[in-house]
């Protein structure tokens, strides 16, 4: 009964609140990514290898890309989007006798829904509170290589997967020029879920930290700063 009542309330609400504009746009920017479990793997490898190694990269901030389609009502907009983000790490050692390399490359595909609520409008400037809800489908590719005196001892690559979710609140400012909307936003992504990386189709075949004995999971939590360009259609 409650579900039926909620359905009719939503129908009544959207029947009274007519859409004003259809919006197609694109966002891009820089994201920071916590990746605590994966960073601990790098620490573990470097402490166990019996020769000197260098951590060339350790999941630094990197670009994200996000197309958006939404419908604008009087004081808010509701839409769908897709986000792609990536980062990675590298441990390296090399001299005249041989080479060691351990790479981890990680990316996430994140479809979701977005809601922006306008809180202030001043001439052509608009300020809004935004939020995104979506999934985080993560791929982790590892590559380990070791050669010594012209002989290759390791050259192995693996692909791991994980599925979690996200909540991303933020602040947005935009400037309207005719049908164009140029904006800037700052968000903070919170990863929801504890699913660890698994290999193949077996979700029980997980990666474990050999020191803590805990399963290793992605952690996309972090700051997002970017720009947006939208085109509106009346």
């Amino acid at each position: 009964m409650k579900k039926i009542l909620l359905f009719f309330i939503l129908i009544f609400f959207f029947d009274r609140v007519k859409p004003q504009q259809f919006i197609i746009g694109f966002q891009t920017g820089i994201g920071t990514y916590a990746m605590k479990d994966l960073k601990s793997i790098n620490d573990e490898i470097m402490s166990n290898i019996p020769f000197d190694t260098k951590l060339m990269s350790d999941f630094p901030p990197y670009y994200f890309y996000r197309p958006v389609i939404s419908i604008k009502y009087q004081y808010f907009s509701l839409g769908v989007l897709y986000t792609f983000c990536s980062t990675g790490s590298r441990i390296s050692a090399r001299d005249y006798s041989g080479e060691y390399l351990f790479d981890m490359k990680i990316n996430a595909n994140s479809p979701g829904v977005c809601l922006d609520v306008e809180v202030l409008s001043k001439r052509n400037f608009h300020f809004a509170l935004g939020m995104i809800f979506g999934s985080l489908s993560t791929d982790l590719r590892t590559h380990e290589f070791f050669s010594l005196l012209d002989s290759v001892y390791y050259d192995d690559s693996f692909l791991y997967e994980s599925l979690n979710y996200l909540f991303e609140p933020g602040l947005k400012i935009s400037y309207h020029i005719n049908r164009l909307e140029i904006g800037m936003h700052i968000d903070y992504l919170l990863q929801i879920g504890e699913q660890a990386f698994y290999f193949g189709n077996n979700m029980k075949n997980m990666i474990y930290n050999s020191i803590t004995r805990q399963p290793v999971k992605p952690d996309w939590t972090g700051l997002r700063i970017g720009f947006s360009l939208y085109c509106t259609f009346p």
Side-chain angles (χ1 to χ4, degrees), residues 141-207:
R141 288 176 168 81
T142 66
H143 178 220
E144 187 173 25
F145 176 85
F146 177 54
S147 66
L148 182 65
L149 300 175
D150 297 326
S151 296
V152 176
Y153 291 90
Y154 300 110
D155 189 8
D156 297 324
S157 297
F158 296 95
L159 172 64
Y160 302 91
E161 299 176 64
S162 176
L163 178 62
N164 291 285
Y165 301 92
L166 67 89
F167 171 60
E168 186 176 328
L171 300 172
K172 302 182 180 182
I173 178 174
S174 59
Y175 182 77
H176 293 227
I177 309 173
N178 296 324
R179 291 189 178 182
L180 291 181
E181 179 182 322
I182 302 170
M184 181 178 179
H185 62 92
I186 179 168
D187 307 332
Y188 192 82
L189 186 146
L190 297 167
Q191 179 172 307
I192 302 170
E194 298 290 330
Q195 187 180 90
F197 289 108
Y198 62 90
F199 180 76
N201 295 320
N202 186 358
M203 297 181 68
K204 295 182 179 180
N205 191 10
M206 296 183 293
I207 307 177

Side-chain angles (χ1 to χ4, degrees), residues 55-71:
L55 186 59
M56 310 300 292
S57 180
D58 196 22
F59 304 98
Y62 202 66
Y63 301 106
F64 67 88
Y65 307 94
R66 178 180 290 163
V68 183
I69 299 175
S70 61
I71 297 175

Side-chain angles (χ1 to χ4, degrees), residues 19-40:
Q20 294 179 325
Q21 292 175 319
F22 181 72
I23 302 173
I24 297 177
F26 186 79
Q27 298 179 5
T28 187
I30 296 288
T32 63
Y33 314 109
M35 301 300 171
K36 295 178 182 178
D37 288 359
L38 295 179
K39 289 179 179 179
S40 70

Side-chain angles (χ1 to χ4, degrees), residues 10 26 44 47 96 98 102 163 176 186 190 195 211 223:
L10 291 174
F26 186 79
E44 178 187 351
S47 64
Y96 67 92
F102 182 71
L163 178 62
H176 293 227
I186 179 168
L190 297 167
Q195 187 180 90
I211 296 176
L223 196 64

Side-chain angles (χ1 to χ4, degrees), residues 112-130:
V113 295
C114 56
L115 173 66
D116 293 341
V117 180
E118 189 174 292
V119 294
L120 180 63
S121 179
K122 191 84 170 177
R123 295 183 179 177
N124 290 341
F125 286 96
H126 298 266
F127 299 85
L129 298 176

